[in-house]
Amino acid sequence: MRARLTLVHGGLFLLAGIVLLAVTYVLVEQRLPGAVTLSVSDMKKFTSAMPQSDLSQVNAAELRRFLERLQTDVRQNTLDSLLTQGGIALMIVSAAAIAFGWLIAGRALQPLHQITETAHRIAGADTAGRGLHERIALAGPRDEVRKLADTFDLMLERLDRSFDGQRRFVANASHELRTPLAINRSLIELAITRPGAPSEVRQLGEALLTVNERHERLIDGLLTLADSETELAERVAIDLAEVVGYVMDQATGDLAVRATRGLTVDRDLAPAAVVGDPILLERLVHNLLENAVRHNTPGTGWVSARTGVVDGRATLVVANTGPVVPGYDVETIFLPFRRLRNERLSDGQGVGGRGFGLGLSIVRAVARAHGGSVEARPRDGGGLTVTVSLPAGS
């Protein structure tokens, strides 16, 4: 925009200068006498002023032609000088006008640069409301740019209040939703462990515990998804390889009982330093591995996890065998409560049973909260390869 304004300013100045030079040229040309043929009386007046000693050497016809040529040359030289020197002066002044136009345009656009830089800082933080406390606070006269900046500040203020309300809701929901489920679990466990409890009561209690556990996992997933889309509570330097190793070691004792039995697990964990929330990163890795185990080939499948630094970014790659995933359906699995196909997730298929459709949604939300990204692509023969890329830490 600065270059365009400068070119418009310089172009208009140059056009005005050309018009002015052309008008001056025409006016001067009209004021200068044209080619006039000297008459005999004019020649007599001219020769009468000359000394008598020179008249014998003067040829009247040649003298007349000489004076006429002299008059024409003077007229043409005057017009040529006006055009040449005026053009040179116009070029010099136009160059100065373009330089001043560049400076003036830069100063005029400085408020827009301030607005743009603020918007970039806010957008660069992430999409979860971090940075919305910042304001442009543009000073100066209340012109169009000042009104734009004030409107932008008002929008930021409303968004900031909205995200603050969301964060407060997540904090309150975390307590209000988990506490009743924890009380229900305690009461059911107390009822089924009471001496002399009938078998029907115990059977009913175990069924209720299963339902309660499922609800707890659903609420925990929803709260984790909401929490990962708000401001990170903690940012520490951590090695992604250590997180993956810890989760995989825990999985051999936890997931193996219901999922990993019969699967081949492969790991290649190179150092990959990141800065972020350890709890959320652990949940990201856990969900990836759980998803890879849950949707796998029973007995003959495998899961692999690799970490490292690629192009200056910490990378985690989790691959697995399993059902064939169409390429056009890959993005579906990242949506909350969306499953690829019911038969892929239903009980008795795969090795992990049915999920809630939140695992990869949480993975993507956590990655974005850390300034990273998640991509998935189908493997030949079935399964997925999921790649998580995060900004590398020091």
Side-chain angles (χ1 to χ4, degrees):
M1 185 179 292
R2 184 180 186 182
R4 289 197 297 270
L5 288 177
T6 302
L7 289 177
V8 169
H9 177 268
L12 291 176
F13 186 90
L14 182 61
L15 180 61
I18 292 175
V19 172
L20 179 62
L21 182 59
V23 171
T24 304
Y25 183 89
V26 172
L27 293 177
V28 172
E29 183 182 28
Q30 291 177 352
R31 296 293 298 172
L32 288 175
V36 181
T37 302
L38 297 177
S39 62
V40 176
S41 60
D42 293 331
M43 290 296 298
K44 288 181 178 180
K45 292 178 182 180
F46 182 76
T47 56
S48 63
M50 297 181 62
Q52 295 295 323
S53 58
D54 296 335
L55 290 176
S56 58
Q57 302 178 3
V58 175
N59 186 309
E62 293 180 356
L63 180 59
R64 183 170 55 245
R65 287 193 296 271
F66 171 75
L67 292 177
E68 291 175 353
R69 288 196 304 270
L70 180 62
Q71 186 182 29
T72 302
D73 291 343
V74 170
R75 171 188 171 86
Q76 190 62 42
N77 288 337
T78 301
L79 294 176
D80 291 344
S81 297
L82 173 64
L83 192 62
T84 303
Q85 296 179 10
I88 295 174
L90 178 61
M91 292 298 104
I92 295 175
V93 176
S94 296
I98 291 175
F100 279 110
W102 176 264
L103 296 177
I104 294 173
R107 187 172 184 83
L109 293 176
Q110 186 62 35
L112 292 180
H113 288 305
Q114 184 177 346
I115 296 175
T116 304
E117 290 173 359
T118 303
H120 272 302
R121 285 195 299 270
I122 296 174
D126 52 47
T127 58
R130 289 179 283 279
L132 291 178
H133 61 279
E134 188 173 359
R135 299 292 182 268
I136 299 173
L138 187 65
R142 289 194 58 82
D143 52 10
E144 290 79 359
V145 179
R146 171 72 180 277
K147 292 179 181 178
L148 173 63
D150 292 344
T151 304
F152 192 80
D153 285 341
L154 179 61
M155 180 187 66
L156 289 177
E157 183 178 355
R158 291 179 177 177
L159 288 174
D160 197 13
R161 289 201 301 266
S162 175
F163 278 103
D164 281 340
Q166 180 185 5
R167 283 189 283 267
R168 286 193 297 270
F169 170 78
V170 171
N172 293 332
S174 176
H175 174 75
E176 296 296 333
L177 294 177
R178 282 173 172 161
T179 301
L181 291 176
I183 295 175
N184 289 342
R185 184 177 67 251
S186 299
L187 293 176
I188 295 172
E189 290 175 348
L190 179 62
I192 63 177
T193 57
R194 186 177 56 185
S199 59
E200 294 82 0
V201 173
R202 293 183 179 180
Q203 184 177 0
L204 178 60
E206 291 175 356
L208 291 176
L209 281 177
T210 302
V211 174
N212 198 81
E213 180 185 1
R214 184 175 178 84
H215 290 166
E216 286 180 339
R217 288 192 289 115
L218 174 59
I219 292 175
D220 185 61
L222 289 172
L223 293 177
T224 302
L225 179 61
D227 188 57
S228 62
E229 292 179 346
T230 58
E231 187 171 1
L232 294 180
E234 185 178 4
R235 288 180 178 269
V236 297
I238 188 172
D239 190 352
L240 195 59
E242 294 182 2
V243 178
V244 176
Y246 172 78
V247 173
M248 294 188 76
D249 291 339
Q250 293 296 316
T252 57
D254 179 20
L255 297 179
V257 175
R258 60 182 179 86
T260 60
R261 186 171 298 164
L263 294 180
T264 301
V265 179
D266 181 34
R267 65 176 76 183
D268 181 12
L269 306 180
V274 295
V275 176
D277 189 320
I279 297 177
L280 289 179
L281 289 175
E282 181 180 331
R283 186 60 182 265
L284 178 149
V285 174
H286 182 274
N287 283 9
L288 274 180
L289 293 174
E290 185 178 40
N291 187 77
V293 167
R294 185 188 303 275
H295 312 301
N296 213 308
T297 305
T300 60
W302 55 263
V303 176
S304 70
R306 303 194 313 273
T307 60
V309 178
V310 179
D311 296 330
R313 296 177 67 85
T315 303
L316 166 62
V317 180
V318 176
N320 70 310
T321 53
V324 176
V325 181
Y328 55 81
D329 267 349
V330 168
E331 283 299 313
T332 304
I333 62 180
F334 288 102
L335 300 177
F337 300 108
R338 295 287 296 275
R339 301 182 180 90
L340 187 63
R341 292 191 304 271
N342 286 336
E343 68 271 19
R344 179 172 179 253
L345 295 173
S346 58
D347 294 331
Q349 299 197 19
V351 293
R354 189 179 181 89
F356 296 105
L358 289 174
L360 292 182
S361 300
I362 295 174
V363 169
R364 174 164 284 183
V366 172
R368 286 178 175 175
H370 288 79
S373 61
V374 180
E375 295 181 356
R377 67 178 187 275
R379 288 187 60 260
D380 294 336
L384 284 174
T385 299
V386 182
T387 302
V388 178
S389 179
L390 301 174
S394 56

